[in-house]
Amino acid sequence: MLMARDEVRRILPADIKREVLIKDEKAETNPKWGFPPEKRPIEMHMQFGIINLDKPPGPTSHEVVAWIKKLFNLSKAGHGGTLDPKVSGVLPVALERATRVVQALLPAGKEYVALMHLHGDVPEDKILAVMKEFQGEIIQRPPLRSAVKRRLRTRKVYYIDVLEIDGRDVLFRVGVEAGTYIRSLIHHIGLALGVGAHMAELRRTRSGPFKEDETLVTLHDLVDYYHFWKEDGIEKYFRQAIQPMEKAVEHLPKVWIRDSAVSAVTHGADLAVPGIVKLHKGIKRGDLVAIMTLKDELVALGKAMMTSGEMLQRSKGIAVDVDKVFMPREWYPKLWAK
């Protein structure tokens, strides 16, 4: 039966709203430079794109990525968080120059819909009460079949929302920190209920900014759209199936920089305070931040060396320690060298 319950506030780290602080109101960007996400030619769009893929049950995440690489004749691709072969749902797949952007999804949080089968009868009110206790920080040990070392570690459960209880079957939605094992979570819920439990089905409905109800495409869709483009010259559907890499950093705190600072960053320089035009409020030292142009192009990812307040008030110093650069060096001229 469908349970009457209080509405659960489904909030992941990716849902945090951030205020923008202006450091230089007069700064402008030259339209002759760069390639804004919405204006990239289709070949470039694919080189700097990420697919919100609906992974089917059956193949491994690695097999799916390998298949896409072969279909599109790519040299590189990577996915944002492994799904077990039997698990379906949202699997972000980054292509070519965007491959390393999947790192940005780690702090964003993930959401799943799971079917838990209890090994004994339990009153519904007890199920609800016990499952609610698993919200917050939990301790897990990765399962035997995991690719990581089986050490105890802390993970956060942002919310658990029971959708339906039918006898010993419990359907629920859960939002968790990356690296949380839902199979292990269900096992421990079963222990806490005193009857045991196992995971019957699992689907990932969200990975940070990538959601089940937004731009999700299947492998069959990709085949059709790719051939529409290659054989019939119709690029509309293929373009819609691939999101710009900037989608993968929607949830991150950002620093926008002036045109004259872009080339320096793409050539390996850390971001200095004079290059900043605007930034998000609430940045803390050590935060992963996205460095953006004034056209909202992703330049690089890096670690904040200052707080938002320090970036706003200071006139010199290194604001961001650049880690991964995504923008090609030739997109913006070397204004810094003059």
Side-chain angles (χ1 to χ4, degrees), residues 245-258:
M245 63 181 175
E246 285 78 7
K247 175 73 176 178
V249 300
E250 275 187 357
H251 59 288
L252 290 182
K254 298 179 178 62
V255 175
W256 287 265
I257 62 177
R258 59 185 81 249

Side-chain angles (χ1 to χ4, degrees), residues 117-150:
H117 182 75
L118 304 176
H119 299 165
D121 296 327
V122 181
E124 293 180 354
D125 57 347
K126 182 177 180 180
I127 294 173
L128 293 173
V130 168
M131 292 184 72
K132 187 175 181 180
E133 292 176 1
F134 280 82
Q135 292 182 156
E137 287 194 346
I138 62 171
I139 297 175
Q140 285 194 326
R141 188 189 301 276
L144 286 171
R145 289 179 291 178
S146 171
V148 300
K149 291 185 178 180
R150 300 189 68 240

